[in-house]
Amino acid sequence: MFFLLELKKNVQLSPRFFGPKMVSTIQDKLVAEVEGTCSGRYGYIIGVLGKPNVGKGFVVEDHSGQAVFEVKYQAIVFRPFKGEVLDAIVYHVSKMGFFAQAGPLELFVSTHLIPSEYAFSSIDEPCFVSDDSMTRIQQDAMVRLKIIGIQVDPSKIVRLRVGREWNSSFRLLYRHLKRNTAPGWVADRIPR
């Protein structure tokens, strides 16, 4: 799920950047430090919105001359929850299951969690084929998955367990896609 949060971060700045462009340098450094990172508490920081608010700084007392500024900013974060349904793109298929990516999340679906009407086939390219041969789980296919468990580390989301509880409306959804989009393809699906 995507959220808009108000966050704070201390940004350290070298004295060579003190001057008329200092605020824009702090803002650029903030974006470089936080975008694309993951926090166990908030999830993945997708992007910083608007102009961050730079507070008063103070000089660090280690004789380096560096200053620390508290910066308040708004960010779009992506944090998955148990029971959430995600669309993902398959990037690797093996006999043991398949790997898929949903924005910054990498997911593994074990063969034991794939519905029994799908069988592994290694003819041409590795894939899982339905009994009626109408649908295939293969590289670059779009799948819809339900998260049944999440393991969180303080600095990252370590593991997601994806469930077998598909029904007719949440059955694996396959669509052959050309992979000509950037890995951050989820960013254009942010609810408004």
Side-chain angles (χ1 to χ4, degrees):
M1 185 68 67
F2 293 95
F3 298 96
L4 180 62
L5 295 178
E6 184 85 24
L7 300 171
K8 287 191 263 185
K9 178 161 179 65
N10 289 332
V11 176
Q12 196 165 6
L13 194 65
S14 176
R16 67 181 169 159
F17 296 111
F18 297 170
K21 295 184 179 180
M22 181 174 69
V23 173
S24 68
T25 303
I26 292 170
Q27 292 169 348
D28 292 343
K29 191 169 181 179
L30 171 79
V31 169
E33 286 180 7
V34 300
E35 280 188 357
T37 61
C38 180
S39 136
R41 182 174 181 187
Y42 300 116
Y44 291 94
I45 299 177
I46 303 294
V48 175
L49 295 179
K51 196 172 183 179
N53 182 12
V54 180
K56 291 186 178 184
F58 61 91
V59 177
V60 179
E61 294 185 21
D62 64 357
H63 305 293
S64 67
Q66 295 199 358
V68 175
F69 297 87
E70 185 179 86
V71 183
K72 294 180 182 176
Y73 63 99
Q74 282 191 326
I76 293 180
V77 297
F78 173 65
R79 179 172 173 101
F81 288 98
K82 185 176 177 180
E84 185 174 358
V85 176
L86 297 174
D87 290 333
I89 297 176
V90 176
Y91 69 87
H92 180 73
V93 179
S94 72
K95 187 188 281 190
M96 303 303 284
F98 65 86
F99 289 91
Q101 187 162 6
L105 292 177
E106 291 189 1
L107 310 162
F108 175 71
V109 180
S110 169
T111 305
H112 303 293
L113 297 174
I114 297 174
S116 59
E117 66 258 17
Y118 289 87
F120 180 75
S121 170
S122 59
I123 301 171
D124 292 335
E125 66 176 318
C127 64
F128 288 91
V129 182
S130 66
D131 290 342
D132 60 3
S133 299
M134 295 298 290
T135 55
R136 299 165 57 100
I137 303 173
Q138 61 190 19
Q139 186 172 344
D140 296 329
M142 178 76 88
V143 293
R144 182 163 288 165
L145 308 165
K146 183 174 183 181
I147 298 172
I148 60 170
I150 300 173
Q151 182 179 351
V152 179
D153 185 277
S155 63
K156 61 183 177 177
I157 297 173
V158 178
R159 190 180 334 167
L160 294 171
R161 291 185 340 164
V162 180
R164 184 182 182 137
E165 320 163 341
W166 294 296
N167 59 31
S168 59
S169 62
F170 288 121
R171 186 174 291 271
L172 286 173
L173 177 71
Y174 307 108
R175 206 171 67 217
H176 215 56
L177 295 177
K178 296 273 186 198
R179 194 114 196 232
N180 53 5
T181 57
W185 62 273
V186 161
D188 63 8
R189 296 175 183 232
I190 296 170
R192 298 191 193 280

